[in-house]
Amino acid sequence: MATQVAEVFYEIAGSDAPVRFTAYDGSAAGPADAEIKVDVVNPRAVTYLASAPGSLGFARAYIMGDLELTGDIYDVLRLFTNLSISDMGMGTKIGLARKLGPLAIKRAPRPAEEARMTGRLHSQSRDAQAIAHHYNVSNRFYELVLGPSMAYTCAVYPTAESTLEEAQWAKHDLVARKLGLTSGMRLLDVGCGWGGMVRHAAKEYGVKALGVTLSQAQAEYAQKRIADEGLSDLAEVRFLDYRKVEETGFDAVSAIGLAEHIGRAQMPSYFSSIYEKVKPGGRFLNHCITRPKSTDKAIDKGGFIDRYVFPDGELTAAGPLATNMQDAGFEVRHLENLREHYGMTCAAWGVNLEANWDEAVAEVGAPRAKVWQIYLAGSRLNFERDEIELHQILGVRLDGENAHFPLRPQFQ
């Protein structure tokens, strides 16, 4: 009897999966009225799944057009996060291998969207490659996904009904209030992205703000926005590694989404470098994605996120981050977990992407747009399931014994 490809997929997914599989060989399996439908377009889809089980193989096949999906990508990933032969018994694996035949061992080409990094891990040159891979895609594409704020970090939702733009404004304002910004202060924003925090500090608080980013596309965009908004006398964004900022004595430093790119081994030097930039009595806020436990591995090396989204990105838990901040000299004054907010943020970005799908595909191509579909939906799931978190940690460089901090926080 010939291999029934749809039945193989259905067997891998689980016999009770509410999914309809169809395949290039004419086979079909699963409930005919299922809202989620997966069409196995050609044999290469089988090769991808067999050679890289789980989310990576599934993503590769989808990105390359070898799998076609019907249904919300979030609902699809909820079902297929663990689509893998790795958890099956040996007898089942052998049976599937016989059904798949040569497809089970055949190699398939890596999609062009996969990162190919060179050089020493977390060297300045390799960090620049990693940042360019993710951020130098297309400013227009990011506008379609992120919206007018161009804020590519966790928003803070005042209410469940708040819009994405309201929540991004609230995030920047929360950071500003935690840092105690007032007119005339100097702010350094490291890993500043498209300059959202820099512009907010200048516009809303009269702060003289400097932002630095390793993405030239971001720096150019940010400088134009600064000029267009009439903020050039207060705000500036440079295409520069944070380690090469020569100025010191800043009243405050913010790092909103930078630490994920630093690497665990580099955390002590990262915090020490920031400490040297802050004047006595000045504050530093670190905002980054974290692991729930310090024993969790830093990165799924070779997984989907590492290959397609954030090459060399590493996550650590809030505890070690706070310890590293303290060891660098900061007194930790406040720590907050915004996990649920990031799940909501990813959901809003996903809605933007779907609403602008045709233009997004025209801008960056279908494969990269599909990468972002998977990335945003998968990240939303991970935040909702507490597989990753988002922490803001606020520290102060003491002025002698004085933290210049109120008895109770004024930023809530």
Side-chain angles (χ1 to χ4, degrees):
M1 181 178 176
T3 301
Q4 298 292 295
V5 172
E7 293 180 2
V8 171
F9 271 74
Y10 193 54
E11 189 171 350
I12 294 172
S15 59
D16 59 345
V19 184
R20 178 67 170 178
F21 288 95
T22 56
Y24 57 90
D25 63 350
S27 60
D33 60 349
E35 292 186 3
I36 297 175
K37 295 179 174 60
V38 178
D39 183 31
V40 185
V41 176
N42 58 50
R44 191 169 64 181
V46 183
T47 301
Y48 277 126
L49 187 64
S51 60
S55 60
L56 179 59
F58 188 82
R60 281 174 168 168
Y62 179 57
I63 291 165
M64 295 292 282
D66 304 322
L67 285 180
E68 292 183 355
L69 307 178
T70 300
D72 187 279
I73 189 68
Y74 172 78
D75 293 331
V76 172
L77 289 185
R78 282 180 63 87
L79 288 169
F80 292 111
T81 299
N82 299 315
L83 181 62
S84 176
I85 63 172
S86 59
D87 297 328
M88 295 180 176
M90 184 55 67
T92 303
K93 291 180 181 179
I94 293 173
L96 285 175
R98 287 173 177 168
K99 287 182 180 180
L100 295 174
L103 294 174
I105 58 174
K106 185 178 179 181
R107 294 181 63 86
R110 289 168 56 185
E113 287 66 30
E114 284 196 17
R116 291 162 173 80
M117 308 299 294
T118 60
R120 180 173 55 83
L121 183 65
H122 292 304
S123 63
Q124 291 188 22
S125 62
R126 181 156 171 158
D127 281 350
Q129 293 174 50
I131 294 300
H133 173 84
H134 189 68
Y135 295 102
N136 290 358
V137 176
S138 159
N139 284 335
R140 178 55 185 157
F141 175 76
Y142 276 102
E143 286 178 331
L144 295 171
V145 175
L146 304 181
S149 70
M150 286 293 277
Y152 184 32
T153 49
C154 175
V156 175
Y157 283 79
T159 70
E161 292 73 34
S162 298
T163 67
L164 175 63
E165 290 302 304
E166 291 169 343
Q168 290 294 10
W169 191 97
K171 182 267 303 294
H172 286 138
D173 208 60
L174 177 62
V175 172
R177 285 181 280 118
K178 284 184 175 181
L179 291 173
L181 296 184
T182 58
S183 180
M185 282 186 169
R186 296 171 62 228
L187 168 71
L188 172 64
D189 187 36
V190 293
C192 69
W194 289 271
M197 184 63 209
V198 169
R199 298 196 314 276
H200 187 93
K203 181 186 301 183
E204 304 294 337
Y205 289 86
V207 168
K208 190 170 181 61
L210 169 65
V212 294
T213 173
L214 275 176
S215 168
Q216 187 167 0
Q218 286 183 333
E220 292 172 354
Y221 180 97
Q223 280 295 94
K224 186 177 185 306
R225 282 284 294 265
I226 287 169
D228 290 346
E229 295 176 21
L231 299 172
S232 297
D233 58 332
L234 289 174
E236 178 189 1
V237 168
R238 299 176 190 166
F239 173 43
L240 185 69
D241 191 296
Y242 77 95
R243 290 164 284 196
K244 293 185 176 180
V245 174
E246 296 181 354
E247 294 94 330
T248 59
F250 289 94
D251 297 284
V253 176
S254 53
I256 307 175
L258 172 63
E260 298 93 330
H261 301 287
I262 299 297
R264 283 186 179 181
Q266 285 70 40
M267 283 299 167
S269 61
Y270 162 66
F271 285 112
S272 294
S273 174
I274 299 298
Y275 184 82
E276 294 302 317
K277 303 298 179 189
V278 184
K279 76 176 188 180
R283 300 181 190 178
F284 168 50
L285 184 132
N286 191 83
H287 166 125
C288 71
I289 302 171
T290 54
R291 294 291 190 193
K293 299 177 182 177
S294 61
T295 53
D296 291 336
K297 61 183 179 180
I299 187 172
D300 181 15
K301 194 64 179 175
F304 173 76
I305 294 293
D306 182 48
R307 289 176 183 268
Y308 288 92
V309 185
F310 288 115
D312 297 339
E314 294 185 41
L315 305 181
T316 190
L321 284 173
T323 297
N324 279 307
M325 186 183 288
Q326 291 171 318
D327 290 347
F330 288 104
E331 181 183 46
V332 172
R333 303 293 307 209
H334 190 268
L335 183 150
E336 181 175 10
N337 186 357
L338 298 168
R339 174 176 66 83
E340 294 88 352
H341 293 261
Y342 218 160
M344 296 168 69
T345 306
C346 290
W349 289 337
V351 169
N352 284 347
L353 177 58
E354 295 300 331
N356 298 297
W357 182 254
D358 291 342
E359 188 176 350
V361 169
E363 185 69 22
V364 299
R368 188 167 294 279
K370 289 178 178 179
V371 167
W372 274 75
Q373 263 191 326
I374 297 169
Y375 159 53
L376 294 178
S379 295
R380 174 186 171 186
L381 275 172
N382 287 336
F383 282 112
E384 290 174 349
R385 293 171 172 172
D386 194 28
E387 294 177 3
I388 47 177
E389 300 174 343
L390 187 290
H391 279 88
Q392 288 188 349
I393 307 177
L394 178 65
V396 61
R397 176 174 178 170
L398 292 176
D399 182 8
E401 298 177 353
N402 195 340
H404 299 287
F405 212 84
L407 291 177
R408 296 301 305 151
Q410 303 298 312
F411 46 76
Q412 295 297 347

mmCIF file of all heavy atoms in Angstrom, residues 20-21 71 105 112 128 198 224 228 230 238 246 250 264 274 277 301 319 356 358 385:
data_model
loop_
_atom_site.group_PDB
_atom_site.id
_atom_site.type_symbol
_atom_site.label_atom_id
_atom_site.label_comp_id
_atom_site.label_asym_id
_atom_site.label_seq_id
_atom_site.Cartn_x
_atom_site.Cartn_y
_atom_site.Cartn_z
ATOM 1 N N ARG A 20 -7.503 19.289 9.640
ATOM 2 C CA ARG A 20 -7.696 18.540 8.402
ATOM 3 C C ARG A 20 -6.408 18.609 7.611
ATOM 4 O O ARG A 20 -5.933 19.688 7.260
ATOM 5 C CB ARG A 20 -8.842 19.147 7.589
ATOM 6 C CG ARG A 20 -9.109 18.466 6.255
ATOM 7 C CD ARG A 20 -9.626 17.061 6.440
ATOM 8 N NE ARG A 20 -10.115 16.493 5.180
ATOM 9 C CZ ARG A 20 -10.588 15.259 5.068
ATOM 10 N NH1 ARG A 20 -10.628 14.461 6.143
ATOM 11 N NH2 ARG A 20 -11.037 14.809 3.915
ATOM 12 N N PHE A 21 -5.815 17.454 7.352
ATOM 13 C CA PHE A 21 -4.601 17.372 6.544
ATOM 14 C C PHE A 21 -4.952 16.880 5.150
ATOM 15 O O PHE A 21 -5.720 15.927 4.978
ATOM 16 C CB PHE A 21 -3.601 16.385 7.165
ATOM 17 C CG PHE A 21 -2.954 16.870 8.425
ATOM 18 C CD1 PHE A 21 -3.472 16.533 9.663
ATOM 19 C CD2 PHE A 21 -1.816 17.665 8.371
ATOM 20 C CE1 PHE A 21 -2.869 16.969 10.831
ATOM 21 C CE2 PHE A 21 -1.210 18.114 9.531
ATOM 22 C CZ PHE A 21 -1.744 17.764 10.769
ATOM 23 N N GLY A 71 -6.440 29.098 8.580
ATOM 24 C CA GLY A 71 -6.749 29.290 9.992
ATOM 25 C C GLY A 71 -5.799 30.312 10.598
ATOM 26 O O GLY A 71 -4.764 30.652 10.023
ATOM 27 N N ILE A 105 15.383 10.752 5.492
ATOM 28 C CA ILE A 105 16.812 11.022 5.661
ATOM 29 C C ILE A 105 17.351 12.032 4.648
ATOM 30 O O ILE A 105 18.486 12.475 4.736
ATOM 31 C CB ILE A 105 17.620 9.712 5.549
ATOM 32 C CG1 ILE A 105 17.371 9.032 4.207
ATOM 33 C CG2 ILE A 105 17.279 8.775 6.708
ATOM 34 C CD1 ILE A 105 18.243 7.804 3.976
ATOM 35 N N ALA A 112 16.703 30.918 2.641
ATOM 36 C CA ALA A 112 17.627 32.057 2.591
ATOM 37 C C ALA A 112 17.444 32.988 3.779
ATOM 38 O O ALA A 112 18.370 33.759 4.116
ATOM 39 C CB ALA A 112 17.420 32.825 1.286
ATOM 40 N N ALA A 128 27.036 43.333 15.370
ATOM 41 C CA ALA A 128 26.530 44.191 14.293
ATOM 42 C C ALA A 128 25.824 43.361 13.226
ATOM 43 O O ALA A 128 24.785 43.770 12.684
ATOM 44 C CB ALA A 128 27.671 44.989 13.682
ATOM 45 N N VAL A 198 13.873 58.275 23.026
ATOM 46 C CA VAL A 198 14.606 59.539 22.882
ATOM 47 C C VAL A 198 13.630 60.674 22.573
ATOM 48 O O VAL A 198 13.681 61.750 23.190
ATOM 49 C CB VAL A 198 15.669 59.406 21.768
ATOM 50 C CG1 VAL A 198 16.254 60.762 21.409
ATOM 51 C CG2 VAL A 198 16.784 58.459 22.211
ATOM 52 N N LYS A 224 15.523 61.344 11.105
ATOM 53 C CA LYS A 224 14.503 62.031 10.300
ATOM 54 C C LYS A 224 13.266 62.347 11.140
ATOM 55 O O LYS A 224 12.692 63.449 11.045
ATOM 56 C CB LYS A 224 14.113 61.180 9.092
ATOM 57 C CG LYS A 224 13.155 61.889 8.129
ATOM 58 C CD LYS A 224 12.848 61.049 6.914
ATOM 59 C CE LYS A 224 11.998 61.820 5.906
ATOM 60 N NZ LYS A 224 10.764 62.372 6.497
ATOM 61 N N ASP A 228 11.718 65.970 11.826
ATOM 62 C CA ASP A 228 10.338 66.245 11.433
ATOM 63 C C ASP A 228 9.499 66.735 12.611
ATOM 64 O O ASP A 228 8.549 67.516 12.427
ATOM 65 C CB ASP A 228 9.692 64.993 10.837
ATOM 66 C CG ASP A 228 10.270 64.620 9.478
ATOM 67 O OD1 ASP A 228 10.960 65.461 8.879
ATOM 68 O OD2 ASP A 228 10.028 63.478 9.037
ATOM 69 N N GLY A 230 10.678 68.488 15.092
ATOM 70 C CA GLY A 230 11.255 69.700 15.649
ATOM 71 C C GLY A 230 11.997 69.498 16.954
ATOM 72 O O GLY A 230 12.015 70.391 17.807
ATOM 73 N N ARG A 238 22.528 58.130 17.152
ATOM 74 C CA ARG A 238 23.754 57.824 16.426
ATOM 75 C C ARG A 238 23.808 56.337 16.061
ATOM 76 O O ARG A 238 23.341 55.483 16.820
ATOM 77 C CB ARG A 238 24.986 58.151 17.269
ATOM 78 C CG ARG A 238 25.127 59.608 17.669
ATOM 79 C CD ARG A 238 26.320 59.789 18.586
ATOM 80 N NE ARG A 238 26.353 61.124 19.182
ATOM 81 C CZ ARG A 238 27.123 61.466 20.202
ATOM 82 N NH1 ARG A 238 27.940 60.548 20.741
ATOM 83 N NH2 ARG A 238 27.087 62.687 20.698
ATOM 84 N N GLU A 246 31.362 58.042 24.127
ATOM 85 C CA GLU A 246 32.442 58.696 24.863
ATOM 86 C C GLU A 246 31.932 59.568 26.008
ATOM 87 O O GLU A 246 32.638 59.758 27.006
ATOM 88 C CB GLU A 246 33.285 59.537 23.900
ATOM 89 C CG GLU A 246 34.012 58.704 22.846
ATOM 90 C CD GLU A 246 34.872 59.552 21.921
ATOM 91 O OE1 GLU A 246 34.813 60.802 22.035
ATOM 92 O OE2 GLU A 246 35.608 58.965 21.102
ATOM 93 N N PHE A 250 25.733 61.139 32.597
ATOM 94 C CA PHE A 250 24.309 61.216 32.282
ATOM 95 C C PHE A 250 23.473 61.142 33.567
ATOM 96 O O PHE A 250 23.808 60.406 34.505
ATOM 97 C CB PHE A 250 23.901 60.091 31.340
ATOM 98 C CG PHE A 250 24.433 60.245 29.946
ATOM 99 C CD1 PHE A 250 25.623 59.638 29.571
ATOM 100 C CD2 PHE A 250 23.751 61.011 29.010
ATOM 101 C CE1 PHE A 250 26.117 59.774 28.277
ATOM 102 C CE2 PHE A 250 24.236 61.160 27.721
ATOM 103 C CZ PHE A 250 25.429 60.548 27.358
ATOM 104 N N ARG A 264 24.921 36.244 28.215
ATOM 105 C CA ARG A 264 25.097 36.084 29.668
ATOM 106 C C ARG A 264 26.520 36.381 30.115
ATOM 107 O O ARG A 264 26.744 37.051 31.124
ATOM 108 C CB ARG A 264 24.717 34.660 30.074
ATOM 109 C CG ARG A 264 23.226 34.405 30.136
ATOM 110 C CD ARG A 264 22.932 33.018 30.686
ATOM 111 N NE ARG A 264 21.499 32.760 30.764
ATOM 112 C CZ ARG A 264 20.977 31.625 31.229
ATOM 113 N NH1 ARG A 264 21.775 30.650 31.628
ATOM 114 N NH2 ARG A 264 19.664 31.467 31.277
ATOM 115 N N ILE A 274 27.616 50.635 31.659
ATOM 116 C CA ILE A 274 26.516 51.568 31.899
ATOM 117 C C ILE A 274 26.782 52.375 33.176
ATOM 118 O O ILE A 274 26.551 53.591 33.222
ATOM 119 C CB ILE A 274 25.170 50.824 32.013
ATOM 120 C CG1 ILE A 274 24.857 50.073 30.713
ATOM 121 C CG2 ILE A 274 24.051 51.785 32.375
ATOM 122 C CD1 ILE A 274 24.710 50.944 29.496
ATOM 123 N N LYS A 277 28.685 55.435 32.813
ATOM 124 C CA LYS A 277 28.037 56.530 32.083
ATOM 125 C C LYS A 277 27.140 57.376 32.975
ATOM 126 O O LYS A 277 26.766 58.495 32.602
ATOM 127 C CB LYS A 277 27.190 55.974 30.931
ATOM 128 C CG LYS A 277 27.953 55.119 29.925
ATOM 129 C CD LYS A 277 29.034 55.904 29.221
ATOM 130 C CE LYS A 277 29.788 55.026 28.236
ATOM 131 N NZ LYS A 277 30.980 55.739 27.693
ATOM 132 N N LYS A 301 19.864 27.145 20.914
ATOM 133 C CA LYS A 301 20.816 27.284 19.811
ATOM 134 C C LYS A 301 20.379 26.433 18.630
ATOM 135 O O LYS A 301 20.157 25.231 18.752
ATOM 136 C CB LYS A 301 22.215 26.863 20.267
ATOM 137 C CG LYS A 301 23.324 27.291 19.320
ATOM 138 C CD LYS A 301 23.435 28.797 19.242
ATOM 139 C CE LYS A 301 24.550 29.230 18.312
ATOM 140 N NZ LYS A 301 24.585 30.701 18.127
ATOM 141 N N GLY A 319 16.675 37.422 38.422
ATOM 142 C CA GLY A 319 17.576 37.378 39.573
ATOM 143 C C GLY A 319 19.031 37.626 39.199
ATOM 144 O O GLY A 319 19.687 38.518 39.767
ATOM 145 N N ASN A 356 -2.072 44.240 7.136
ATOM 146 C CA ASN A 356 -1.229 44.824 6.086
ATOM 147 C C ASN A 356 -0.460 43.746 5.312
ATOM 148 O O ASN A 356 0.609 44.014 4.769
ATOM 149 C CB ASN A 356 -0.242 45.811 6.712
ATOM 150 C CG ASN A 356 -0.928 46.977 7.385
ATOM 151 O OD1 ASN A 356 -1.611 47.759 6.741
ATOM 152 N ND2 ASN A 356 -0.744 47.088 8.695
ATOM 153 N N ASP A 358 -0.657 42.042 2.419
ATOM 154 C CA ASP A 358 -0.258 42.178 1.016
ATOM 155 C C ASP A 358 0.883 43.173 0.859
ATOM 156 O O ASP A 358 1.843 42.920 0.106
ATOM 157 C CB ASP A 358 -1.454 42.611 0.165
ATOM 158 C CG ASP A 358 -2.509 41.517 0.037
ATOM 159 O OD1 ASP A 358 -2.178 40.342 0.311
ATOM 160 O OD2 ASP A 358 -3.651 41.830 -0.331
ATOM 161 N N ARG A 385 2.233 31.566 28.315
ATOM 162 C CA ARG A 385 2.506 30.316 29.031
ATOM 163 C C ARG A 385 3.612 30.463 30.075
ATOM 164 O O ARG A 385 4.000 29.490 30.711
ATOM 165 C CB ARG A 385 2.902 29.234 28.021
ATOM 166 C CG ARG A 385 1.771 28.815 27.083
ATOM 167 C CD ARG A 385 2.288 27.924 25.976
ATOM 168 N NE ARG A 385 1.191 27.361 25.184
ATOM 169 C CZ ARG A 385 1.362 26.663 24.054
ATOM 170 N NH1 ARG A 385 2.585 26.440 23.594
ATOM 171 N NH2 ARG A 385 0.320 26.195 23.406
#
